[in-house]
Amino acid sequence: MNGIELVTKEREEQVLKHNFDITHDLNYKNEELIKAALYLLTGEEEFYPKSWAYKYYEKFRRKLQNMDKREAYKVAAALIVAEIDRINAQEDIDKPF
């Protein structure tokens, strides 16, 4: 699979398996998806989205520790795609009639 296919498959898993669809993602108002992507790419705790419950932090951190670079990049890219979709959907909602 090429990179686009891997990212697409990951995003589909986020939506179908974890129910992180656009309705869910519209709740994020402070770049949480981008911060999560940065956390995946850097491992720096400062990027962990502060609004996310820390009960998920350990699970997310353990998952990160077990990922190779390709896997981390794939998940981060899917989170960036989710943020782009969130921005587009929010703009559609905010459009005047």
Side-chain angles (χ1 to χ4, degrees), residues 1-12 70 73-74 77-78 81:
M1 258 190 244
N2 66 36
I4 291 172
E5 292 167 333
L6 289 170
V7 172
T8 299
K9 184 177 178 185
E10 173 63 27
R11 183 64 189 136
E12 287 172 351
R70 181 180 15 230
Y73 295 166
K74 175 189 76 170
V81 168

Side-chain angles (χ1 to χ4, degrees), residues 15-16 18 27 37 41 45 48 50-51 54 56 63 65 69-70 72-73 79 85-86 97:
V15 172
L16 299 174
H18 303 291
N27 292 307
L41 294 172
E45 188 174 328
Y48 186 81
K50 303 297 185 262
S51 64
Y54 268 87
Y56 302 117
K63 185 175 180 178
Q65 289 174 337
K69 283 186 178 184
R70 181 180 15 230
Y73 295 166
L79 289 168
D85 291 345
R86 188 203 66 75
F97 292 96

Side-chain angles (χ1 to χ4, degrees), residues 13-79:
E13 180 178 317
Q14 290 171 357
V15 172
L16 299 174
K17 182 178 177 184
H18 303 291
N19 295 316
F20 295 150
D21 60 10
I22 192 63
T23 302
H24 175 270
D25 293 346
L26 281 168
N27 292 307
Y28 298 132
K29 305 292 184 193
N30 297 305
E31 297 188 325
E32 291 92 341
L33 296 167
I34 295 299
K35 291 174 185 174
L38 287 168
Y39 177 74
L40 277 166
L41 294 172
T42 66
E44 297 292 327
E45 188 174 328
E46 69 184 273
F47 293 117
Y48 186 81
K50 303 297 185 262
S51 64
W52 289 9
Y54 268 87
K55 66 182 179 179
Y56 302 117
Y57 174 73
E58 276 303 314
K59 181 179 178 182
F60 200 57
R61 190 174 67 76
R62 278 193 308 273
K63 185 175 180 178
L64 173 63
Q65 289 174 337
N66 292 321
M67 286 182 189
D68 63 19
K69 283 186 178 184
R70 181 180 15 230
E71 177 78 7
Y73 295 166
K74 175 189 76 170
V75 175
L79 289 168

